[in-house]
């Protein structure tokens, strides 16, 4: 299967990042990796869209950043969810799930094998 | 704004470099990880790096993308918005000018009034710790704010320990002569030595008075105001110790008051202070209240304790001396309140309220202008919004535009307040150089700018919000008709016009009432006539006229010379002029009637007059005779009473021949009533509690201060003024004549404060009416423009131009009438307020209201007719083709 491009759907990227950060504090590289792993390489994030998204979220106050040391012993910028981010994730997740359920129902009607 | 967002913004604004650096590091880290991964996959270091570079692509591109997310509205973007706003205003200079002038006028009127309020209510009195200062009144039925007798004051003095300090002063105008210049009559006070301590006024040169100088015979000292020192003595340094002649007697200048003493709110007109040295006769006088008491209560005392102390003292005085003090209560009023005046707060709040109406009218005009302008640009907004501009981006230049208008308007308002202060100072300048000096302090500036910004932003952005409610695609599709605007807006604009006319009616009514009321006061000639009457005041210096005989011979000579002036029909001297309030009230007992309860004897205002007074001022003698030259000091005492007094005392019985005497004096001296004169009314707006009047021959009560009255032909007033001055100088070259002018001019001056009020109210009304007519003109003009096509069709279908004009006029007049109807209630409110503030003014709301409404409709008619006329220029074919 070909990799999907999450940035095609506005808001999806933000939601993915927020969800990934819900598990703990991560730096940009790890975020991309983790999304790739969890999605079984279907969703790959390019740095060209990842970092602007991170900065946008930081700007909106949904995530917070802190310099720390990576596992390899190098200094890296770690992101974590803020309280507002957690709330946003909650809301977005709800609406995404209901949206995708609705989409599935509608699309499923026509392409029933 | 949540804290995370705030932190991010903070960093973006103030630490952009760090942010940049961090971004580079972060991306660098990512790159290194990529290289690392490639290495782990088995590439050579060289290949790993190259592959990473390939995958990474141009860093600058997403660096920029990142930066975009956190770049703050930078200065250059704000400058761009600012320039955009300036350009857009410059593109329509007419609109910009109209908006700025409208705002400046509205806020200017309001700021000017606020500066008045600020100066009167908020600026502290010109003395240190003013809140401790009290004015003391001995309140009787006839004089609620009465003064205190010397004997009562002397009794109070030793008992003040539990209160604080008390100063006493008496008004005492004097003639001042310095070596070179002609004598002048100046306002003066005789003050107790405590005066300076109580007010905490320290002379800028020399010293205050010492207690020894309160002793009679040891009081030949004087303190001058800074103004007097400057104007009459050239501000010479060695003034202290100099001898000046006051009332013909030499006095040594011991001090010069600071400039702050001549504050218009309190004793601003006073130029000389003399010690209150009481002679033996004065010290025992309990019958004539002639001192003003000003106290400074101890810091540990509140107003109620100070009041209680003096009330208790008043009760003691009433118990100990019931013959004069029965029924008199002692009251205390904080000086701050005295300065504001009885109806001051009421009048001031009314002025501010009315100026707020002007502002509201200006604001609704502004809203209308901006709405029209925003609607005209609706297509532009729609296009920009369609291209992806956010609301904020659309609003920002509009907000900056409003802000620019507000700043210009605020500056205009301060200019207006400045002009107002200048005008008021000039308008209020009295004979003595005293004038109202408004303070333009920070609160005034703050007021002007806050009011401008608030109104401009509120009324500037409200129309913009209408623009956002537009259906974008509808606006784009509808072509030129994107500018018509929805029904909601139409209603909003009509509401604004209705509101304007309601406020305009209130303003017009207020001004109209006051113009009529003041004209009534100034033209009130009840009981006398002013035509060709010239008046002026003189004060005989005690040094030159030491006794009754000297005064009497002066009076005789003066009347003789004045009556002989070419052009003079008759001349007289009196204590008071008929049209001013006679300050002297006495109580009387009638021979042969039961003695009334003490303190309840009938009171009358007393005037001493020379024999030709009645003929000169035109007061009719209704019964009996006037005074003659035979009513001298040695002749039997006589009196003339007013008609109302005769009715009150004797009913229908004949008053002539009855005897009357002043109540409460040690020896009763009976006067025979020889005549009844017509009632006379003062031209002041305050009601006098005492309406009865009693006249005595001037020869039987010699007094050093006199009012001259000369009756002449109205055309000869100017020449007779010069003649009077010359005649008086011939009798005594050291005798200044004050306020020598026609009675009409004197009345104008006496009521100048009311005239100032009248002019302010008129200005409000003119402004309000002008702005409202501009408003309705604008709305009707737009209506014409919008409905041109419709009118074209109507004309094409056979409608007459007259019908179109009638249709347009009708919609304008309907708005104006609705507004006027809505304003009726407010107009009645203003009428009630004015009536409460000026009880003695004759205010007739009915007629004024009708006239105001009529004027309003007439103005609206003209304002609507101008655009409606264009109907005749509508060419149906052109109008139809244009669509």
């Amino acid at each position: 299967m070909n990799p999907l491009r999450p940035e095609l759907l506005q808001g999806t990227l933000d939601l993915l990042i927020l969800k990934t950060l819900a598990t703990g504090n991560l730096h940009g590289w790890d975020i991309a990796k983790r999304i790739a792993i969890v999605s079984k390489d279907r969703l790959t994030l390019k740095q060209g869209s990842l970092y602007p998204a991170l900065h946008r979220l930081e700007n909106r106050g949904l995530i917070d950043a802190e310099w720390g040391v990576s596992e390899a012993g190098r200094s890296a910028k770690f992101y974590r969810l803020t309280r507002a981010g957690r709330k946003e994730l909650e809301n977005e997740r709800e609406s995404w799930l209901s949206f995708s359920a609705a989409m599935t129902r509608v699309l499923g009607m026509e392409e029933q094998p | 704004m949540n804290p995370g967002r705030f932190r991010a913004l903070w960093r973006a604004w103030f630490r952009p470099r760090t942010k940049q650096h961090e971004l580079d590091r972060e991306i660098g880290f990512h790159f290194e990880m990529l290289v690392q991964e490639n290495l782990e996959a088995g590439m050579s270091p060289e290949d790993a790096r190259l592959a990473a570079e390939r995958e990474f692509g141009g860093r600058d591109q997403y660096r920029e993308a990142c930066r975009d997310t956190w770049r703050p509205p930078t200065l250059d973007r704000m400058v761009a918005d600012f320039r955009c706003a300036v350009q857009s205003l410059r593109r329509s200079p007419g609109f910009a000018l109209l908006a700025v002038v409208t705002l400046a006028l509205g806020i200017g009127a309001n700021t000017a009034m606020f500066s008045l309020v600020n100066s009167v209510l908020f600026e502290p009195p010109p003395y240190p710790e003013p809140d401790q200062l009290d004015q003391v009144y001995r309140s009787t039925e006839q004089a609620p704010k009465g003064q205190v007798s010397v004997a009562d004051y002397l009794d109070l003095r030793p008992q003040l320990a539990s209160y604080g300090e008390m100063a006493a002063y008496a008004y005492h105008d004097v003639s001042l002569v310095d070596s070179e210049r002609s004598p002048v009559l100046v306002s003066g006070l005789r003050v107790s030595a405590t005066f300076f301590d109580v007010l905490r006024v320290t002379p800028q040169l020399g010293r205050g008075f010492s207690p020894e100088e309160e002793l009679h015979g040891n009081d030949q000292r004087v303190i001058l105001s800074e103004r007097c020192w400057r104007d009459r003595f050239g501000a010479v340094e060695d003034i202290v110790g100099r001898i000046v002649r006051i009332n013909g007697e030499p006095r040594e200048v011991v001090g010069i008051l600071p400039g702050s003493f001549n504050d218009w709110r309190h004793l601003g007109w006073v130029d000389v202070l003399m010690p209150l040295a009481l002679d033996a006769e004065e010290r025992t006088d309990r019958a004539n209240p002639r001192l003003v008491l000003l106290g400074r209560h101890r810091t540990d005392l509140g107003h109620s304790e100070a009041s209680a102390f003096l009330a208790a003292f008043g009760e003691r005085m009433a118990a100990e001396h019931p013959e004069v003090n029965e029924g008199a209560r002692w009251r205390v009023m904080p000086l701050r309140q005295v300065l504001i005046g009885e109806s001051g707060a009421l009048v001031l709040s009314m002025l501010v309220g009315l100026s707020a109406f002007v502002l509201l009218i200006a604001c609704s005009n502004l809203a209308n202008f901006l709405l029209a302008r925003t609607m005209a640009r609706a297509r532009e907004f729609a296009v920009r919004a369609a291209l992806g501009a956010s609301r904020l981006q659309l609003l920002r230049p509009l907000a900056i535009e409003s802000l620019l208008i507000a700043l210009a308007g605020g500056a205009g308002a301060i200019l207006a307040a400045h002009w107002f202060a200048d005008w008021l100072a000039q308008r209020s300048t009295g004979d003595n150089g005293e004038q109202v000096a408004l303070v333009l302090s920070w609160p005034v500036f703050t007021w002007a700018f806050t009011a401008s910004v608030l109104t401009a932003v509120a009324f500037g952005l409200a129309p913009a919000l209408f623009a956002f409610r537009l259906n974008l695609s509808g606006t784009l599709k509808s072509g030129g008709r994107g500018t018509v605007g929805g029904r909601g807006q139409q209603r909003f604009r009509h509401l604004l016009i209705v509101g304007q006319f309601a406020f305009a009616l209130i303003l017009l009514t207020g001004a109209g009432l006051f113009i009529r009321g003041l004209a009534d006061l100034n033209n009130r000639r009840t009981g006398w006539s002013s035509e060709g009457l010239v008046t002026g005041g003189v004060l005989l210096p005690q040094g030159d006229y030491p006794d009754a005989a000297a005064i009497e011979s002066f009076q005789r000579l003066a009347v003789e010379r004045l009556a002989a002036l070419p052009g003079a029909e008759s001349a007289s001297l009196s204590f008071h002029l008929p049209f001013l309030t006679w300050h002297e009230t006495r109580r009387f007992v009638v021979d042969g009637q039961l003695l009334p309860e003490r303190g309840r004897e009938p009171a009358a205002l007393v005037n001493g007059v020379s024999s030709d007074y009645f003929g000169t001022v035109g007061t009719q003698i209704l019964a009996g005779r006037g005074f003659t030259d035979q009513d001298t000091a040695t002749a039997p005492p006589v009196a003339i009473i007013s008609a109302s007094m005769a009715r009150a005392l004797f009913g229908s019985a004949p008053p002539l021949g009855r005897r009357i005497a002043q109540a409460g004096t040690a020896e009763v001296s009976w006067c025979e009533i020889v005549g009844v004169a017509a009632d006379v009314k003062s031209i002041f707006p305050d009601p006098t509690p005492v309406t009865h009047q009693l006249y005595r021959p001037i020869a039987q009560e010699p007094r050093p201060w006199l009012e001259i009255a000369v009756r002449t032909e109205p055309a000869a007033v100017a020449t007779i003024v010069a003649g009077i001055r010359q005649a008086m100088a011939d009798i005594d070259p050291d005798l200044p004549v004050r306020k020598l002018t026609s009675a009409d001019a004197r009345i104008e001056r006496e009521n100048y404060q009311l005239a100032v009020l009248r002019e302010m109210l008129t200005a409000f009304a003119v402004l309000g009416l002008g702005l409202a007519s501009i408003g309705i003109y604008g709305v009707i003009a737009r209506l014409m423009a919008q409905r041109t096509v419709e009118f074209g069709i109507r004309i094409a279908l056979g409608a007459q131009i007259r019908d179109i004009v009638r249709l347009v006029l009708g919609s304008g007049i309907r708005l104006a009438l609705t507004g006027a109807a809505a304003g009726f209630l407010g107009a009645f409110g203003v009428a009630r307020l004015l009536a409460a503030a000026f009880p003695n003014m004759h205010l007739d709301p009915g007629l004024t209201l009708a006239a105001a409404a009529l004027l309003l409709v007439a103005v609206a008619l003209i304002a609507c007719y101008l655009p409606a006329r264009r109907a005749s220029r509508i060419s149906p074919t052109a109008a139809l083709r244009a669509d």
Side-chain angles (χ1 to χ4, degrees):
Chain A
M1 260 190 287
N2 292 328
L4 301 171
R5 297 187 49 204
E7 58 268 42
L8 279 181
L9 221 49
Q10 216 179 9
T12 322
L13 181 56
D14 291 0
L15 183 54
L16 282 174
I17 293 173
L18 290 178
K19 175 66 193 166
T20 311
L21 282 175
T23 57
N25 300 358
L26 298 169
H27 47 72
W29 174 263
D30 267 357
I31 293 173
K33 279 287 150 211
R34 194 161 295 209
I35 290 176
I37 292 169
V38 172
S39 71
K40 301 203 168 66
D41 283 337
R42 298 281 314 276
L43 297 169
T44 54
L45 282 181
K46 291 289 178 203
Q47 48 278 18
S49 46
L50 172 65
Y51 285 101
L54 282 172
H55 284 258
R56 191 168 55 241
L57 290 171
E58 187 186 355
N59 234 19
R60 286 173 62 197
L62 299 179
I63 60 176
D64 207 357
E66 211 170 42
W67 284 90
V69 182
S70 75
E71 293 133 60
R74 306 195 35 186
S75 94
K77 198 176 175 192
F78 283 81
Y79 293 92
R80 68 178 172 83
L81 272 189
T82 63
R83 195 186 304 186
R86 219 167 277 281
K87 207 182 285 169
E88 175 83 2
L89 171 62
E90 214 55 41
N91 293 340
E92 288 299 302
R93 189 169 170 276
E94 287 296 308
S95 62
W96 174 257
L97 285 182
S98 72
F99 174 72
S100 83
M103 285 297 284
T104 314
R105 249 196 311 272
V106 172
L107 297 175
M109 262 179 7
E110 286 171 18
E111 286 185 30
Q112 205 79 54
Chain B
M1 192 182 274
N2 68 50
R5 182 162 158 70
F6 180 75
R7 209 160 36 236
L9 265 181
W10 174 269
R11 275 194 231 139
W13 263 101
F14 295 104
R15 311 180 59 187
R17 201 156 288 190
T18 321
K19 193 95 179 161
Q20 193 77 33
H21 179 66
E22 279 185 10
L23 180 63
D24 287 343
R25 271 175 72 198
E26 190 177 16
I27 289 176
F29 170 75
H30 196 103
F31 181 78
E32 293 302 324
M33 292 302 280
L34 210 54
V35 173
Q36 190 70 29
E37 195 182 53
N38 289 347
L39 280 177
E40 276 165 19
M43 291 189 194
S44 68
E46 186 100 343
D47 289 346
R49 191 158 284 275
L50 274 174
E53 286 284 6
R54 236 189 341 271
E55 183 170 347
F56 223 71
R59 294 181 193 196
D60 287 344
Q61 192 185 330
Y62 44 81
R63 236 189 238 157
E64 191 57 36
C66 284
R67 245 179 261 141
D68 273 350
T69 65
W70 44 258
R71 177 179 290 170
T74 51
L75 199 60
D76 45 311
R77 203 184 306 176
M78 284 198 290
V79 169
D81 275 339
F82 178 79
R83 271 164 64 185
C84 174
V86 170
Q87 268 165 13
S88 124
L89 284 178
R90 275 179 53 183
R91 265 201 301 277
S92 40
F95 159 78
L97 193 70
L98 202 58
V100 167
V101 169
T102 302
L103 197 61
L105 286 177
I107 305 225
N110 199 256
T111 305
M113 287 312 107
F114 178 74
S115 70
L116 189 60
V117 170
N118 180 50
S119 294
V120 177
L121 295 188
F122 302 141
E123 285 286 320
Y127 310 110
E129 282 98 69
D131 291 320
Q132 281 171 264
L133 290 171
D134 299 317
Q135 180 131 9
V136 180
Y137 294 114
R138 178 181 169 276
S139 212
T140 62
E141 227 169 281
Q142 293 89 28
K145 291 186 168 184
Q147 301 180 355
V148 171
S149 72
V150 173
D152 284 356
Y153 161 66
L154 291 176
D155 283 348
L156 174 64
R157 237 172 28 170
Q159 302 177 18
L160 282 169
S162 64
Y163 168 82
E165 295 169 288
M166 187 70 69
Y169 61 85
Y171 298 106
H172 189 61
D173 293 354
V174 294
S175 74
L176 171 70
V177 185
D178 56 85
S179 46
E180 289 117 52
R181 306 187 35 191
S182 59
V184 280
L185 204 51
V186 294
S187 303
L189 298 180
R190 299 166 70 198
V191 303
S192 65
T194 48
F195 184 80
F196 304 91
D197 292 337
V198 167
L199 291 182
R200 304 210 172 138
V201 166
T202 318
Q204 55 171 308
L205 285 178
R207 57 174 175 88
F209 295 131
S210 67
E212 298 80 60
E213 283 161 347
E214 285 189 3
L215 295 174
H216 192 61
N218 190 30
D219 60 333
Q220 305 307 330
R221 313 275 186 275
V222 65
I223 292 177
L224 305 176
S225 75
E226 192 199 53
R227 186 174 56 207
C228 179
W229 173 47
R230 210 178 44 229
D231 294 349
R232 299 206 51 92
F233 297 94
V236 291
E237 288 296 324
D238 61 343
I239 184 76
V240 172
R242 204 187 264 211
I243 305 291
V244 296
R245 284 176 68 80
I246 284 185
N247 277 358
E249 289 174 338
R251 280 177 189 257
E252 180 192 342
V253 178
V254 297
I256 300 293
L257 289 167
S260 64
F261 182 81
N262 287 105
D263 189 282
W264 62 279
R265 289 167 300 167
H266 194 208
L267 296 168
W269 69 95
V270 171
D271 275 329
V272 299
L273 300 185
M274 291 146 289
L276 181 66
L278 300 158
D279 61 28
E281 191 189 335
E282 282 177 313
R283 298 180 80 87
T284 54
D285 182 4
R286 210 175 283 278
N288 296 305
R290 59 173 77 170
L291 293 182
V292 181
L293 297 194
L294 202 56
R296 183 180 280 280
H297 60 246
R298 290 185 349 208
T299 40
D300 55 333
L301 251 52
H303 174 68
S304 52
E305 286 120 308
S307 290
F309 170 82
L310 282 152
F313 177 78
E315 276 164 31
R316 203 154 63 241
M317 283 296 107
E320 287 172 18
H321 307 282
E323 70 285 359
V324 285
N325 282 334
E326 182 97 53
R329 290 183 312 109
W330 286 49
R331 305 195 290 135
V332 164
M333 193 186 268
L335 183 69
R336 212 181 255 275
Q337 211 173 319
V338 174
L339 299 195
I340 293 167
E342 196 90 313
S343 50
L346 189 64
V347 173
L348 284 174
S349 41
M350 183 190 71
L351 281 174
V352 169
L354 290 181
S355 71
F357 290 166
V358 177
L359 181 57
L360 279 174
I361 294 179
C363 284
S364 25
N365 264 0
L366 199 64
N368 251 333
F369 298 154
L370 285 166
L371 185 60
R373 183 175 155 79
T374 311
M375 294 330 291
R377 290 161 71 187
R379 264 174 74 78
E380 178 198 330
F381 289 131
V383 169
R384 286 177 60 192
L387 289 178
S390 71
R391 280 184 174 211
L392 191 68
Q393 280 169 324
L394 285 182
L395 268 181
R396 209 158 40 208
L398 282 180
I400 292 181
E401 241 175 70
S402 297
L403 220 57
L404 283 177
I405 293 175
L407 287 181
I414 289 191
L415 209 60
H418 188 76
W419 285 336
F420 172 72
D422 276 356
W423 171 76
L424 194 58
Q426 201 183 2
R427 188 72 178 73
S428 62
T429 303
D431 324 318
N432 207 9
E434 74 273 15
Q435 56 180 215
V436 175
L438 295 186
V439 193
L440 289 183
S441 53
W442 277 112
V444 178
F445 299 134
T446 317
W447 177 281
F449 278 104
T450 314
S452 323
V453 169
L454 281 182
T455 51
V457 169
F459 287 85
L461 289 190
L465 293 177
F466 266 115
F468 292 129
R469 284 183 23 201
L470 286 178
N471 176 347
L472 286 186
S473 57
T475 309
L476 286 175
K477 267 186 261 160
S478 71
R481 283 207 252 143
T483 59
V484 173
R487 185 165 268 250
Q489 273 177 49
Q490 201 101 313
R491 208 172 302 142
F492 175 67
R493 314 182 57 162
H494 288 176
L495 199 69
L496 288 180
I497 295 295
V498 167
Q500 288 187 337
F501 274 81
F503 288 132
L505 182 79
I506 297 173
L507 292 175
L508 273 178
T509 310
L513 279 176
F514 216 78
I515 290 170
R516 281 164 47 90
L518 184 57
D520 171 64
L521 275 188
N522 282 349
N523 295 320
R524 188 181 283 173
R525 302 289 185 262
T526 315
W528 65 285
S529 94
S530 70
E531 209 181 329
L533 189 65
V534 176
T535 66
V538 292
L539 177 69
L540 305 179
Q542 213 191 344
D544 302 337
Y545 302 89
D547 52 18
I551 292 174
E552 212 190 322
S553 70
F554 168 83
Q555 290 169 347
R556 203 173 281 280
L557 191 60
V559 171
E560 205 173 280
R561 293 275 179 88
L562 291 172
L565 283 174
E569 287 167 18
S570 66
S572 70
L573 294 175
S574 55
F575 297 165
H576 307 284
L577 290 170
F579 49 86
L580 303 178
T581 302
W582 311 351
H583 293 289
E584 240 181 304
T585 307
R586 289 185 210 161
R587 283 190 302 231
F588 290 93
V589 288
V590 180
D591 190 20
Q593 285 188 355
L594 274 178
L595 269 183
E597 211 182 307
R598 268 181 184 148
R600 302 239 167 249
E601 299 95 342
L605 297 164
V606 178
N607 196 358
V609 302
S610 71
S611 56
D612 287 336
Y613 171 84
F614 294 101
T616 306
V617 302
T619 300
Q620 273 191 309
I621 296 293
L622 303 174
R625 63 171 177 91
F627 297 130
T628 67
D629 291 338
Q630 274 71 56
D631 295 316
T632 58
T634 49
V638 287
I640 293 175
I641 59 175
S642 65
S644 68
M645 188 174 182
R647 247 192 329 277
L649 290 187
F650 306 106
S652 53
L656 299 183
R658 302 290 292 268
R659 296 199 306 161
I660 195 167
Q662 187 177 358
T665 51
E667 309 167 26
V668 178
S669 81
W670 293 105
C671 299
E672 188 190 336
I673 297 171
V674 295
V676 176
D679 285 305
V680 167
K681 261 191 193 168
S682 97
I683 45 94
F684 289 125
D686 337 286
T688 38
V690 180
T691 52
H692 298 160
Q693 289 146 359
L694 182 139
Y695 299 88
R696 295 266 296 133
I698 203 166
Q700 294 182 351
E701 295 200 12
R703 294 271 180 83
W705 64 87
L706 297 163
E707 292 282 353
I708 298 168
V710 177
R711 170 80 58 184
T712 179
E713 288 295 316
V717 165
T719 51
I720 209 86
V721 164
I724 293 172
R725 210 178 283 287
Q726 189 54 49
M728 298 312 280
D730 287 347
I731 302 173
D732 182 345
D734 276 356
L735 201 62
V737 185
R738 182 162 62 167
K739 296 180 178 171
L740 182 58
T741 176
S742 74
D744 290 335
R746 182 108 174 244
I747 289 170
E748 287 277 328
R749 173 63 200 172
E750 292 292 340
N751 273 336
Y752 92 89
Q753 284 175 322
L754 295 171
V756 165
L757 204 52
R758 173 189 64 192
E759 281 145 31
M760 288 197 274
L761 290 177
T762 310
F764 289 169
V766 168
L767 271 181
L769 190 62
L771 289 172
S773 52
I774 292 177
I776 200 167
Y777 172 87
V779 162
I780 298 300
R782 284 192 60 72
L783 180 127
M784 276 306 293
Q786 284 165 4
R787 292 174 66 181
T788 303
V789 175
E790 180 204 323
F791 293 152
I793 294 172
R794 280 175 188 248
I795 293 172
L797 292 178
Q800 298 293 310
I801 285 167
R802 204 166 11 137
D803 299 332
I804 304 290
V805 171
R806 198 178 303 142
L807 187 87
V808 174
L809 278 187
S811 56
I813 296 304
R814 224 174 4 253
L815 289 180
L817 278 180
T818 315
F824 261 89
L825 205 65
F828 270 114
V830 168
R832 291 286 295 274
L833 262 177
L834 281 172
F838 304 99
N840 201 28
M841 227 159 149
H842 177 72
L843 302 166
D844 168 21
L847 194 62
T848 312
L849 209 52
L854 221 61
L855 179 62
L856 210 55
V857 171
V859 167
L861 208 60
I862 295 170
C864 295
Y865 180 68
L866 293 176
R869 240 180 4 174
R870 282 187 218 146
S872 64
R873 272 185 259 140
I874 293 177
S875 139
T877 47
L880 288 173
R881 215 180 294 128
D883 199 25

